[in-house]
Amino acid sequence: TGSYIGLRAEDGTAEVLVEDSIVSKGGTGVVAADGARVEIKGTTVSGHTAYALAAGSGAEIRVKDSSLTDNKDCAAFIHDTDGRVVLEKVLLRRNKCGVQFAGKGSLDVRLSRFRDNSMGAVALSPLQGDLAVITGYGNEGFTVPGEKKPAARKRAAAAPRGK
C-alpha cells in the first residue's frame, strides 16, 4: 500500500498491453498521459488508495473484460486535456464513483456494470460538466445520456373486475 503507481505510460509513442493480470494496492493502478495508449484485458485493478485508472493529456485507456473494484477514489479519472477511457464489459464496484471527470475528456462505456459506488456511476465537476463527452450503451447501473432505456416488461394482465 502506498502512493506508487502500478503502471505509468507517458508518451505519444507508448502503447502498452496489460493482459490477465492483477494490479493492486498502490496509489493509482494505471496512469496514461501525453498521448500514451494503454489496453487492459482480463485484468483486476483493485485496492488502490486513489484511482484504478487515470487518463489525461490526450492519452487513452481501453479496458475490456476486467474489473475495477475496491479503490478509495473513483475507478477511472479523466483529467487535463482530452483524456479518453473506453470500458467494455467492465465491472466497476465499491469505489468512490465509477468515473470522475476533472476537465475535457471522453468516456465510451458499453455493456459494463456499475455497482455499490458511494457517489454513483459518474462524477462531473459543476463547472466542467459541459466538457465531458459520454457515449455507450447496454450498461447496468448507468444510462448514457440520450440512450433509450429498454422498455419495461408488461405486467401480467390484471384479473377482470366485476360489474
Side-chain angles (χ1 to χ4, degrees), residues 4-64:
Y4 69 90
I5 295 169
L7 169 72
R8 184 177 189 96
E10 286 187 346
D11 189 305
T13 62
E15 292 187 15
V16 179
L17 172 63
V18 178
E19 193 167 18
D20 299 324
S21 299
I22 296 173
V23 181
S24 66
K25 299 182 181 173
T28 296
V30 177
V31 174
D34 299 325
R37 301 285 178 258
V38 176
E39 187 171 358
I40 300 170
K41 295 179 181 178
T43 293
T44 297
V45 185
S46 68
H48 295 280
T49 58
Y51 306 96
L53 314 173
S57 301
E60 178 179 87
I61 301 176
R62 292 181 164 271
V63 185
K64 185 174 182 179

Side-chain angles (χ1 to χ4, degrees), residues 96-158:
K96 184 176 180 181
C97 73
V99 179
Q100 177 183 355
F101 282 88
K104 185 178 179 184
S106 65
L107 168 66
D108 184 8
V109 58
R110 302 172 232 144
L111 306 170
S112 294
R113 296 170 292 157
F114 292 78
R115 294 185 179 160
D116 305 319
N117 296 297
S118 61
M119 287 181 54
V122 175
L124 298 168
S125 165
L127 299 175
Q128 298 178 338
D130 60 338
L131 300 176
V133 177
I134 302 172
T135 59
Y137 59 86
N139 301 294
E140 177 186 311
F142 175 63
T143 302
V144 172
E147 177 183 9
K148 292 182 180 179
K149 293 182 181 179
R153 293 183 182 178
K154 293 184 178 181
R155 295 183 183 196

